[in-house]
Amino acid sequence: MLSFDDFKISNLLRNAISDLGYKKPRPIQSKSFPVILSGKDMVGIAQTGTGKTFAYMLPILQMLPFSKEKHPRVLVLVPTRELVVQVVAEVEKFGKYSSIKVLGIYGGTNMNRQKEALTEGADIIVATPGRLYDLILTRALKLKTIKKLVIDEVDVMLDLGFRFQLTNIMDLLPKRRQNIMFSATMTSNVDKLINEYFIGPVKVTVALSGTPLDNISQTCYSVPNFYTKVNLLVDILRNNELYNKVLVFVSNKKSADRLFNALDEFYGSETCIIHSNKTQNYRLRSIKQFDEGKNRILVTTDVMARGLDLDKISHVINFDTPQYPENYMHRIGRTGRAEEKGASLLFFTENEKQYKEGIEDLMNIKIPEIVLPDHIEIATRLTPAETPKIIELNNPTKRNSSEEGSDFHVKKDKNKRTNQGGSYKRIIEKKYKKAKTKGDKNYNKRNKRK
Ligand code: AMP
């Protein structure tokens, strides 16, 4: 289907589309529409920026009849609070001329207010799995009326460790429902989830994971260390006309803070930052300032930025080289959106060279390298992670950690536990050798006495 005229949709939706100025459907929209409309389960492999939100919302809104039902009929699960806010805004735009009620639910905010909002009823709930599950436990939300489940950015969700909440929620949903899932990358974990919960899903793919978007130019620089990377970045950013909306990626919060502080001296008023240790309000404010062009530079970690719908990014700068090539694909997918030209720069150290090669293998291309310009000062200052470790043999006062002073830490024993599910039952079984059953409360007492 090459035109929205080919879609069987109501005039209300048609008007909303024309208000949004969408001229023609994106490939993911043309391909998903008939599948979702047919009621079949669907797995969509699409990166952010391809128009996937609209791809599932358009057929869902088309199929959602008016109802006086207060309980939600559509559940959309997304990995981050930011994405909840964004998807709710999108649904409101599409559903502008209908009476569809959409409600966003996410953690880090007052739960009572969300409970109150739920009592007023909603047709579509957009939620992060954690808070949604809390609301189910308090009985503020019932899922028995859900007819359609959408899980967006499944790969990110599983990455964030949401599997347990996700499967718990799916177990509570009515068996007869339509499942729709979107993921940018296929991983074995995503596959497992599909096998467990989906029935004969139709796979819809628009770009193979690992295929770079054609309209993004990619270059890379070999740079010796963190603070030389800072010098290079400061130099590059001087051209504020060309580098007018720059997303700078680092892999962890510590590096993000370190970079943000280093940039402060040069571009303090132009830079903002998001990562998971920042409060939600702080993050939302940063994103808004960046999106509106008040700040031209946004420093972010991978997890925080995936899924955000930021418009017209001029450059993605990979300040470090992602260990997983898929993360690089996600990062560069943030520029060149909506069929516009974009650019990506990658900084790599000697240690990160292997990761760069992994990325090149995945894409099956070599990223053109630019030689570090002579005027870039080579920094002698090192980060704790870059500082060579002095190994003192037989020093009893020195802690024996090879990671000391680095950005990473070794998990304490108590934090190494893994969630094995059904903990109470497991503990009781271990203690009494046999499961304590509801039917015979005195079983264990009797056995103990023996
Ligand atoms: P998404 O992949 O859902 O994050 O969408 C990326 C962006 O594309 C969003 O800002 C949408 O508003 C926009 N978009 C979605 N569908 C279309 C379309 N058919 N034509 C133009 N823009 C679109």
Side-chain angles (χ1 to χ4, degrees), residues 4 17 20-26 28-29 47-55 83 86 90 93-94 152 307-309 311 334 337-338:
F4 281 118
I17 292 171
L20 285 166
Y22 296 174
K23 301 275 177 297
K24 56 180 175 65
R26 295 269 174 79
I28 187 75
Q29 294 160 0
Q47 300 180 1
T48 9
T50 49
K52 61 189 170 61
T53 316
F54 196 30
L83 205 50
Q86 196 178 298
E90 293 270 292
K93 277 191 255 166
F94 307 144
D152 200 358
L308 281 183
D309 180 21
D311 230 13
R334 314 319 313 272
R337 304 182 101 200

PDB file of all heavy atoms in Angstrom, residues 4 17 20-26 28-29 47-55 83 86 90 93-94 152 307-309 311 334 337-338, ligand 1:
ATOM      1  N   PHE A   4      -2.201   6.385   1.873  1.00  0.00           N
ATOM      2  CA  PHE A   4      -3.139   6.181   2.980  1.00  0.00           C
ATOM      3  C   PHE A   4      -4.561   5.927   2.459  1.00  0.00           C
ATOM      4  O   PHE A   4      -5.403   5.417   3.181  1.00  0.00           O
ATOM      5  CB  PHE A   4      -3.123   7.385   3.933  1.00  0.00           C
ATOM      6  CG  PHE A   4      -1.957   7.378   4.878  1.00  0.00           C
ATOM      7  CD1 PHE A   4      -1.016   8.398   4.861  1.00  0.00           C
ATOM      8  CD2 PHE A   4      -1.786   6.347   5.786  1.00  0.00           C
ATOM      9  CE1 PHE A   4       0.067   8.385   5.729  1.00  0.00           C
ATOM     10  CE2 PHE A   4      -0.705   6.327   6.656  1.00  0.00           C
ATOM     11  CZ  PHE A   4       0.226   7.346   6.626  1.00  0.00           C
ATOM     12  N   ILE A  17      -4.576  12.107  10.304  1.00  0.00           N
ATOM     13  CA  ILE A  17      -3.351  11.896   9.505  1.00  0.00           C
ATOM     14  C   ILE A  17      -3.042  13.141   8.669  1.00  0.00           C
ATOM     15  O   ILE A  17      -1.908  13.599   8.613  1.00  0.00           O
ATOM     16  CB  ILE A  17      -3.504  10.662   8.575  1.00  0.00           C
ATOM     17  CG1 ILE A  17      -3.562   9.385   9.406  1.00  0.00           C
ATOM     18  CG2 ILE A  17      -2.346  10.584   7.580  1.00  0.00           C
ATOM     19  CD1 ILE A  17      -3.926   8.135   8.621  1.00  0.00           C
ATOM     20  N   LEU A  20      -1.605  15.809  10.722  1.00  0.00           N
ATOM     21  CA  LEU A  20      -0.201  15.562  11.072  1.00  0.00           C
ATOM     22  C   LEU A  20       0.728  15.818   9.884  1.00  0.00           C
ATOM     23  O   LEU A  20       1.938  15.907  10.039  1.00  0.00           O
ATOM     24  CB  LEU A  20      -0.020  14.105  11.530  1.00  0.00           C
ATOM     25  CG  LEU A  20      -0.535  13.768  12.936  1.00  0.00           C
ATOM     26  CD1 LEU A  20      -0.605  12.276  13.132  1.00  0.00           C
ATOM     27  CD2 LEU A  20       0.363  14.399  13.985  1.00  0.00           C
ATOM     28  N   GLY A  21       0.137  15.912   8.721  1.00  0.00           N
ATOM     29  CA  GLY A  21       0.928  16.206   7.522  1.00  0.00           C
ATOM     30  C   GLY A  21       1.626  14.982   6.947  1.00  0.00           C
ATOM     31  O   GLY A  21       2.544  15.121   6.147  1.00  0.00           O
ATOM     32  N   TYR A  22       1.207  13.800   7.346  1.00  0.00           N
ATOM     33  CA  TYR A  22       1.814  12.588   6.786  1.00  0.00           C
ATOM     34  C   TYR A  22       1.275  12.384   5.368  1.00  0.00           C
ATOM     35  O   TYR A  22       0.083  12.262   5.173  1.00  0.00           O
ATOM     36  CB  TYR A  22       1.470  11.346   7.618  1.00  0.00           C
ATOM     37  CG  TYR A  22       2.002  11.338   9.034  1.00  0.00           C
ATOM     38  CD1 TYR A  22       1.652  10.317   9.912  1.00  0.00           C
ATOM     39  CD2 TYR A  22       2.855  12.337   9.496  1.00  0.00           C
ATOM     40  CE1 TYR A  22       2.138  10.295  11.216  1.00  0.00           C
ATOM     41  CE2 TYR A  22       3.342  12.322  10.790  1.00  0.00           C
ATOM     42  CZ  TYR A  22       2.972  11.301  11.640  1.00  0.00           C
ATOM     43  OH  TYR A  22       3.446  11.282  12.915  1.00  0.00           O
ATOM     44  N   LYS A  23       2.191  12.354   4.413  1.00  0.00           N
ATOM     45  CA  LYS A  23       1.765  12.238   3.016  1.00  0.00           C
ATOM     46  C   LYS A  23       1.522  10.780   2.614  1.00  0.00           C
ATOM     47  O   LYS A  23       0.546  10.444   1.973  1.00  0.00           O
ATOM     48  CB  LYS A  23       2.811  12.850   2.074  1.00  0.00           C
ATOM     49  CG  LYS A  23       3.074  14.332   2.352  1.00  0.00           C
ATOM     50  CD  LYS A  23       2.054  15.203   1.642  1.00  0.00           C
ATOM     51  CE  LYS A  23       2.228  16.676   1.934  1.00  0.00           C
ATOM     52  NZ  LYS A  23       2.055  17.089   3.332  1.00  0.00           N
ATOM     53  N   LYS A  24       2.506   9.924   2.955  1.00  0.00           N
ATOM     54  CA  LYS A  24       2.330   8.512   2.580  1.00  0.00           C
ATOM     55  C   LYS A  24       2.801   7.611   3.721  1.00  0.00           C
ATOM     56  O   LYS A  24       3.624   8.022   4.543  1.00  0.00           O
ATOM     57  CB  LYS A  24       3.067   8.198   1.281  1.00  0.00           C
ATOM     58  CG  LYS A  24       4.556   8.508   1.279  1.00  0.00           C
ATOM     59  CD  LYS A  24       5.113   8.142  -0.083  1.00  0.00           C
ATOM     60  CE  LYS A  24       6.536   8.481  -0.308  1.00  0.00           C
ATOM     61  NZ  LYS A  24       7.628   8.030   0.265  1.00  0.00           N
ATOM     62  N   PRO A  25       2.263   6.385   3.731  1.00  0.00           N
ATOM     63  CA  PRO A  25       2.653   5.485   4.820  1.00  0.00           C
ATOM     64  C   PRO A  25       4.109   5.041   4.708  1.00  0.00           C
ATOM     65  O   PRO A  25       4.636   4.927   3.601  1.00  0.00           O
ATOM     66  CB  PRO A  25       1.716   4.290   4.654  1.00  0.00           C
ATOM     67  CG  PRO A  25       1.204   4.368   3.266  1.00  0.00           C
ATOM     68  CD  PRO A  25       1.271   5.789   2.827  1.00  0.00           C
ATOM     69  N   ARG A  26       4.725   4.813   5.847  1.00  0.00           N
ATOM     70  CA  ARG A  26       6.087   4.263   5.862  1.00  0.00           C
ATOM     71  C   ARG A  26       5.989   2.756   5.611  1.00  0.00           C
ATOM     72  O   ARG A  26       4.933   2.141   5.886  1.00  0.00           O
ATOM     73  CB  ARG A  26       6.689   4.488   7.247  1.00  0.00           C
ATOM     74  CG  ARG A  26       6.885   5.951   7.583  1.00  0.00           C
ATOM     75  CD  ARG A  26       8.285   6.362   7.153  1.00  0.00           C
ATOM     76  NE  ARG A  26       8.487   7.792   7.318  1.00  0.00           N
ATOM     77  CZ  ARG A  26       8.746   8.371   8.481  1.00  0.00           C
ATOM     78  NH1 ARG A  26       8.813   7.650   9.578  1.00  0.00           N
ATOM     79  NH2 ARG A  26       8.946   9.656   8.549  1.00  0.00           N
ATOM     80  N   ILE A  28       6.959   0.152   7.228  1.00  0.00           N
ATOM     81  CA  ILE A  28       6.511  -0.653   8.382  1.00  0.00           C
ATOM     82  C   ILE A  28       5.000  -0.498   8.586  1.00  0.00           C
ATOM     83  O   ILE A  28       4.316  -1.434   9.003  1.00  0.00           O
ATOM     84  CB  ILE A  28       7.305  -0.297   9.676  1.00  0.00           C
ATOM     85  CG1 ILE A  28       6.974  -1.247  10.841  1.00  0.00           C
ATOM     86  CG2 ILE A  28       7.064   1.129  10.142  1.00  0.00           C
ATOM     87  CD1 ILE A  28       7.548  -2.588  10.761  1.00  0.00           C
ATOM     88  N   GLN A  29       4.479   0.671   8.224  1.00  0.00           N
ATOM     89  CA  GLN A  29       3.043   0.910   8.391  1.00  0.00           C
ATOM     90  C   GLN A  29       2.236   0.140   7.342  1.00  0.00           C
ATOM     91  O   GLN A  29       1.228  -0.487   7.667  1.00  0.00           O
ATOM     92  CB  GLN A  29       2.768   2.415   8.320  1.00  0.00           C
ATOM     93  CG  GLN A  29       3.392   3.151   9.487  1.00  0.00           C
ATOM     94  CD  GLN A  29       3.578   4.645   9.268  1.00  0.00           C
ATOM     95  OE1 GLN A  29       3.236   5.188   8.224  1.00  0.00           O
ATOM     96  NE2 GLN A  29       4.131   5.307  10.273  1.00  0.00           N
ATOM     97  N   GLN A  47      13.580  -0.468  13.556  1.00  0.00           N
ATOM     98  CA  GLN A  47      14.295   0.455  14.430  1.00  0.00           C
ATOM     99  C   GLN A  47      13.409   1.652  14.744  1.00  0.00           C
ATOM    100  O   GLN A  47      12.469   1.924  14.016  1.00  0.00           O
ATOM    101  CB  GLN A  47      15.568   0.941  13.741  1.00  0.00           C
ATOM    102  CG  GLN A  47      16.501  -0.194  13.410  1.00  0.00           C
ATOM    103  CD  GLN A  47      17.763   0.282  12.718  1.00  0.00           C
ATOM    104  OE1 GLN A  47      17.952   1.466  12.501  1.00  0.00           O
ATOM    105  NE2 GLN A  47      18.612  -0.660  12.372  1.00  0.00           N
ATOM    106  N   THR A  48      13.791   2.365  15.800  1.00  0.00           N
ATOM    107  CA  THR A  48      13.049   3.585  16.109  1.00  0.00           C
ATOM    108  C   THR A  48      13.288   4.581  14.983  1.00  0.00           C
ATOM    109  O   THR A  48      14.346   4.589  14.383  1.00  0.00           O
ATOM    110  CB  THR A  48      13.561   4.243  17.417  1.00  0.00           C
ATOM    111  OG1 THR A  48      14.728   3.588  17.811  1.00  0.00           O
ATOM    112  CG2 THR A  48      12.520   4.233  18.467  1.00  0.00           C
ATOM    113  N   GLY A  49      12.263   5.352  14.719  1.00  0.00           N
ATOM    114  CA  GLY A  49      12.402   6.327  13.639  1.00  0.00           C
ATOM    115  C   GLY A  49      11.789   5.829  12.346  1.00  0.00           C
ATOM    116  O   GLY A  49      11.650   6.571  11.389  1.00  0.00           O
ATOM    117  N   THR A  50      11.409   4.556  12.328  1.00  0.00           N
ATOM    118  CA  THR A  50      10.824   4.002  11.108  1.00  0.00           C
ATOM    119  C   THR A  50       9.319   4.268  11.044  1.00  0.00           C
ATOM    120  O   THR A  50       8.691   4.001  10.032  1.00  0.00           O
ATOM    121  CB  THR A  50      11.053   2.478  11.037  1.00  0.00           C
ATOM    122  OG1 THR A  50      10.665   1.909  12.289  1.00  0.00           O
ATOM    123  CG2 THR A  50      12.502   2.139  10.761  1.00  0.00           C
ATOM    124  N   GLY A  51       8.762   4.768  12.139  1.00  0.00           N
ATOM    125  CA  GLY A  51       7.320   5.037  12.183  1.00  0.00           C
ATOM    126  C   GLY A  51       6.540   3.875  12.788  1.00  0.00           C
ATOM    127  O   GLY A  51       5.369   3.661  12.485  1.00  0.00           O
ATOM    128  N   LYS A  52       7.165   3.149  13.697  1.00  0.00           N
ATOM    129  CA  LYS A  52       6.519   1.932  14.209  1.00  0.00           C
ATOM    130  C   LYS A  52       5.365   2.217  15.188  1.00  0.00           C
ATOM    131  O   LYS A  52       4.428   1.440  15.261  1.00  0.00           O
ATOM    132  CB  LYS A  52       7.540   0.974  14.830  1.00  0.00           C
ATOM    133  CG  LYS A  52       8.285   1.524  15.997  1.00  0.00           C
ATOM    134  CD  LYS A  52       9.403   0.588  16.386  1.00  0.00           C
ATOM    135  CE  LYS A  52      10.331   1.190  17.374  1.00  0.00           C
ATOM    136  NZ  LYS A  52       9.733   1.558  18.658  1.00  0.00           N
ATOM    137  N   THR A  53       5.429   3.333  15.890  1.00  0.00           N
ATOM    138  CA  THR A  53       4.339   3.643  16.831  1.00  0.00           C
ATOM    139  C   THR A  53       3.014   3.757  16.061  1.00  0.00           C
ATOM    140  O   THR A  53       1.997   3.178  16.441  1.00  0.00           O
ATOM    141  CB  THR A  53       4.615   4.965  17.586  1.00  0.00           C
ATOM    142  OG1 THR A  53       5.973   4.964  17.997  1.00  0.00           O
ATOM    143  CG2 THR A  53       3.707   5.134  18.768  1.00  0.00           C
ATOM    144  N   PHE A  54       3.077   4.500  14.987  1.00  0.00           N
ATOM    145  CA  PHE A  54       1.900   4.685  14.154  1.00  0.00           C
ATOM    146  C   PHE A  54       1.504   3.360  13.489  1.00  0.00           C
ATOM    147  O   PHE A  54       0.321   3.087  13.278  1.00  0.00           O
ATOM    148  CB  PHE A  54       2.224   5.753  13.110  1.00  0.00           C
ATOM    149  CG  PHE A  54       1.028   6.333  12.431  1.00  0.00           C
ATOM    150  CD1 PHE A  54      -0.189   6.429  13.088  1.00  0.00           C
ATOM    151  CD2 PHE A  54       1.115   6.805  11.129  1.00  0.00           C
ATOM    152  CE1 PHE A  54      -1.294   6.963  12.458  1.00  0.00           C
ATOM    153  CE2 PHE A  54       0.025   7.346  10.491  1.00  0.00           C
ATOM    154  CZ  PHE A  54      -1.186   7.423  11.155  1.00  0.00           C
ATOM    155  N   ALA A  55       2.528   2.522  13.190  1.00  0.00           N
ATOM    156  CA  ALA A  55       2.266   1.243  12.521  1.00  0.00           C
ATOM    157  C   ALA A  55       1.357   0.351  13.365  1.00  0.00           C
ATOM    158  O   ALA A  55       0.502  -0.347  12.836  1.00  0.00           O
ATOM    159  CB  ALA A  55       3.586   0.521  12.226  1.00  0.00           C
ATOM    160  N   LEU A  83       9.488   6.958  27.104  1.00  0.00           N
ATOM    161  CA  LEU A  83       8.749   6.405  25.970  1.00  0.00           C
ATOM    162  C   LEU A  83       7.246   6.377  26.251  1.00  0.00           C
ATOM    163  O   LEU A  83       6.440   6.566  25.347  1.00  0.00           O
ATOM    164  CB  LEU A  83       9.270   4.997  25.653  1.00  0.00           C
ATOM    165  CG  LEU A  83       9.067   4.516  24.230  1.00  0.00           C
ATOM    166  CD1 LEU A  83       9.536   5.509  23.207  1.00  0.00           C
ATOM    167  CD2 LEU A  83       9.759   3.177  24.001  1.00  0.00           C
ATOM    168  N   GLN A  86       6.013   9.777  25.439  1.00  0.00           N
ATOM    169  CA  GLN A  86       6.029   9.982  23.993  1.00  0.00           C
ATOM    170  C   GLN A  86       4.904   9.227  23.271  1.00  0.00           C
ATOM    171  O   GLN A  86       4.228   9.796  22.407  1.00  0.00           O
ATOM    172  CB  GLN A  86       7.365   9.469  23.507  1.00  0.00           C
ATOM    173  CG  GLN A  86       7.739   9.922  22.154  1.00  0.00           C
ATOM    174  CD  GLN A  86       9.113   9.362  21.834  1.00  0.00           C
ATOM    175  OE1 GLN A  86      10.088   9.667  22.506  1.00  0.00           O
ATOM    176  NE2 GLN A  86       9.188   8.524  20.848  1.00  0.00           N
ATOM    177  N   GLU A  90       1.668  10.613  21.099  1.00  0.00           N
ATOM    178  CA  GLU A  90       1.374  10.168  19.722  1.00  0.00           C
ATOM    179  C   GLU A  90      -0.073   9.703  19.602  1.00  0.00           C
ATOM    180  O   GLU A  90      -0.786  10.089  18.692  1.00  0.00           O
ATOM    181  CB  GLU A  90       2.294   9.013  19.323  1.00  0.00           C
ATOM    182  CG  GLU A  90       3.751   9.392  19.204  1.00  0.00           C
ATOM    183  CD  GLU A  90       4.152   9.849  17.813  1.00  0.00           C
ATOM    184  OE1 GLU A  90       4.155   9.010  16.907  1.00  0.00           O
ATOM    185  OE2 GLU A  90       4.450  11.045  17.653  1.00  0.00           O
ATOM    186  N   LYS A  93      -2.495  12.398  19.458  1.00  0.00           N
ATOM    187  CA  LYS A  93      -2.524  13.064  18.144  1.00  0.00           C
ATOM    188  C   LYS A  93      -3.378  12.271  17.153  1.00  0.00           C
ATOM    189  O   LYS A  93      -4.209  12.810  16.450  1.00  0.00           O
ATOM    190  CB  LYS A  93      -1.102  13.183  17.590  1.00  0.00           C
ATOM    191  CG  LYS A  93      -0.331  14.371  18.123  1.00  0.00           C
ATOM    192  CD  LYS A  93       0.948  14.556  17.328  1.00  0.00           C
ATOM    193  CE  LYS A  93       2.152  14.098  18.119  1.00  0.00           C
ATOM    194  NZ  LYS A  93       3.374  13.924  17.354  1.00  0.00           N
ATOM    195  N   PHE A  94      -3.161  10.952  17.132  1.00  0.00           N
ATOM    196  CA  PHE A  94      -3.904  10.119  16.170  1.00  0.00           C
ATOM    197  C   PHE A  94      -5.386  10.049  16.527  1.00  0.00           C
ATOM    198  O   PHE A  94      -6.247   9.986  15.664  1.00  0.00           O
ATOM    199  CB  PHE A  94      -3.369   8.681  16.123  1.00  0.00           C
ATOM    200  CG  PHE A  94      -1.898   8.577  15.895  1.00  0.00           C
ATOM    201  CD1 PHE A  94      -1.153   7.582  16.524  1.00  0.00           C
ATOM    202  CD2 PHE A  94      -1.245   9.451  15.054  1.00  0.00           C
ATOM    203  CE1 PHE A  94       0.208   7.478  16.326  1.00  0.00           C
ATOM    204  CE2 PHE A  94       0.129   9.359  14.848  1.00  0.00           C
ATOM    205  CZ  PHE A  94       0.846   8.371  15.493  1.00  0.00           C
ATOM    206  N   ASP A 152       6.554  -2.854  23.048  1.00  0.00           N
ATOM    207  CA  ASP A 152       7.443  -2.098  22.169  1.00  0.00           C
ATOM    208  C   ASP A 152       8.862  -2.140  22.724  1.00  0.00           C
ATOM    209  O   ASP A 152       9.053  -2.141  23.939  1.00  0.00           O
ATOM    210  CB  ASP A 152       6.941  -0.648  22.077  1.00  0.00           C
ATOM    211  CG  ASP A 152       7.476   0.061  20.850  1.00  0.00           C
ATOM    212  OD1 ASP A 152       8.262  -0.553  20.107  1.00  0.00           O
ATOM    213  OD2 ASP A 152       7.107   1.224  20.634  1.00  0.00           O
ATOM    214  N   GLY A 307      14.767   4.531  21.912  1.00  0.00           N
ATOM    215  CA  GLY A 307      13.315   4.688  21.962  1.00  0.00           C
ATOM    216  C   GLY A 307      12.849   6.125  22.027  1.00  0.00           C
ATOM    217  O   GLY A 307      11.684   6.397  21.840  1.00  0.00           O
ATOM    218  N   LEU A 308      13.749   7.048  22.305  1.00  0.00           N
ATOM    219  CA  LEU A 308      13.303   8.440  22.363  1.00  0.00           C
ATOM    220  C   LEU A 308      13.064   8.969  20.961  1.00  0.00           C
ATOM    221  O   LEU A 308      13.818   8.694  20.044  1.00  0.00           O
ATOM    222  CB  LEU A 308      14.392   9.305  22.994  1.00  0.00           C
ATOM    223  CG  LEU A 308      14.500   9.265  24.498  1.00  0.00           C
ATOM    224  CD1 LEU A 308      15.562  10.231  24.945  1.00  0.00           C
ATOM    225  CD2 LEU A 308      13.167   9.624  25.127  1.00  0.00           C
ATOM    226  N   ASP A 309      12.020   9.730  20.825  1.00  0.00           N
ATOM    227  CA  ASP A 309      11.715  10.272  19.510  1.00  0.00           C
ATOM    228  C   ASP A 309      12.228  11.703  19.440  1.00  0.00           C
ATOM    229  O   ASP A 309      11.522  12.643  19.753  1.00  0.00           O
ATOM    230  CB  ASP A 309      10.204  10.226  19.286  1.00  0.00           C
ATOM    231  CG  ASP A 309       9.841  10.771  17.927  1.00  0.00           C
ATOM    232  OD1 ASP A 309      10.738  10.798  17.068  1.00  0.00           O
ATOM    233  OD2 ASP A 309       8.690  11.163  17.743  1.00  0.00           O
ATOM    234  N   ASP A 311      13.751  14.779  17.301  1.00  0.00           N
ATOM    235  CA  ASP A 311      13.641  15.217  15.908  1.00  0.00           C
ATOM    236  C   ASP A 311      14.947  15.811  15.380  1.00  0.00           C
ATOM    237  O   ASP A 311      15.667  16.479  16.092  1.00  0.00           O
ATOM    238  CB  ASP A 311      12.541  16.285  15.862  1.00  0.00           C
ATOM    239  CG  ASP A 311      11.552  15.979  14.780  1.00  0.00           C
ATOM    240  OD1 ASP A 311      11.597  14.855  14.277  1.00  0.00           O
ATOM    241  OD2 ASP A 311      10.761  16.871  14.435  1.00  0.00           O
ATOM    242  N   ARG A 334      19.473   7.147  15.447  1.00  0.00           N
ATOM    243  CA  ARG A 334      18.825   8.335  16.000  1.00  0.00           C
ATOM    244  C   ARG A 334      18.997   9.547  15.097  1.00  0.00           C
ATOM    245  O   ARG A 334      18.356  10.558  15.273  1.00  0.00           O
ATOM    246  CB  ARG A 334      19.371   8.689  17.388  1.00  0.00           C
ATOM    247  CG  ARG A 334      19.519   7.543  18.347  1.00  0.00           C
ATOM    248  CD  ARG A 334      18.366   6.587  18.280  1.00  0.00           C
ATOM    249  NE  ARG A 334      17.086   7.243  18.290  1.00  0.00           N
ATOM    250  CZ  ARG A 334      16.430   7.564  19.377  1.00  0.00           C
ATOM    251  NH1 ARG A 334      16.904   7.280  20.543  1.00  0.00           N
ATOM    252  NH2 ARG A 334      15.271   8.146  19.299  1.00  0.00           N
ATOM    253  N   ARG A 337      16.745  10.383  10.711  1.00  0.00           N
ATOM    254  CA  ARG A 337      15.379   9.888  10.844  1.00  0.00           C
ATOM    255  C   ARG A 337      14.467  10.582   9.840  1.00  0.00           C
ATOM    256  O   ARG A 337      14.807  11.616   9.304  1.00  0.00           O
ATOM    257  CB  ARG A 337      14.848  10.148  12.254  1.00  0.00           C
ATOM    258  CG  ARG A 337      15.726   9.549  13.300  1.00  0.00           C
ATOM    259  CD  ARG A 337      15.126   9.787  14.643  1.00  0.00           C
ATOM    260  NE  ARG A 337      14.457   8.590  15.085  1.00  0.00           N
ATOM    261  CZ  ARG A 337      13.530   8.574  16.009  1.00  0.00           C
ATOM    262  NH1 ARG A 337      13.124   9.685  16.563  1.00  0.00           N
ATOM    263  NH2 ARG A 337      12.988   7.450  16.380  1.00  0.00           N
ATOM    264  N   ALA A 338      13.337   9.978   9.638  1.00  0.00           N
ATOM    265  CA  ALA A 338      12.323  10.541   8.748  1.00  0.00           C
ATOM    266  C   ALA A 338      12.922  10.935   7.401  1.00  0.00           C
ATOM    267  O   ALA A 338      12.712  12.027   6.886  1.00  0.00           O
ATOM    268  CB  ALA A 338      11.642  11.740   9.415  1.00  0.00           C
TER     269      ALA A 338
HETATM  270  P1  AMP B   1       8.650   6.090  15.532  1.00  0.00           P
HETATM  271  O1  AMP B   1       9.464   5.083  14.776  1.00  0.00           O
HETATM  272  O2  AMP B   1       7.321   5.592  15.904  1.00  0.00           O
HETATM  273  O3  AMP B   1       9.429   6.622  16.710  1.00  0.00           O
HETATM  274  O4  AMP B   1       8.352   7.343  14.546  1.00  0.00           O
HETATM  275  C1  AMP B   1       9.314   8.261  14.111  1.00  0.00           C
HETATM  276  C2  AMP B   1       8.718   9.602  13.652  1.00  0.00           C
HETATM  277  O5  AMP B   1       8.133   9.496  12.353  1.00  0.00           O
HETATM  278  C3  AMP B   1       7.645  10.158  14.553  1.00  0.00           C
HETATM  279  O6  AMP B   1       8.015  11.478  14.892  1.00  0.00           O
HETATM  280  C4  AMP B   1       6.362  10.165  13.723  1.00  0.00           C
HETATM  281  O7  AMP B   1       5.574  11.295  14.019  1.00  0.00           O
HETATM  282  C5  AMP B   1       6.890  10.220  12.298  1.00  0.00           C
HETATM  283  N1  AMP B   1       6.022   9.508  11.338  1.00  0.00           N
HETATM  284  C6  AMP B   1       5.375   8.325  11.531  1.00  0.00           C
HETATM  285  N2  AMP B   1       4.713   7.941  10.428  1.00  0.00           N
HETATM  286  C7  AMP B   1       4.928   8.896   9.481  1.00  0.00           C
HETATM  287  C8  AMP B   1       4.515   9.070   8.106  1.00  0.00           C
HETATM  288  N3  AMP B   1       3.743   8.164   7.487  1.00  0.00           N
HETATM  289  N4  AMP B   1       4.951  10.158   7.462  1.00  0.00           N
HETATM  290  C9  AMP B   1       5.738  11.059   8.072  1.00  0.00           C
HETATM  291  N5  AMP B   1       6.161  10.971   9.354  1.00  0.00           N
HETATM  292  C10 AMP B   1       5.776   9.907  10.062  1.00  0.00           C
END
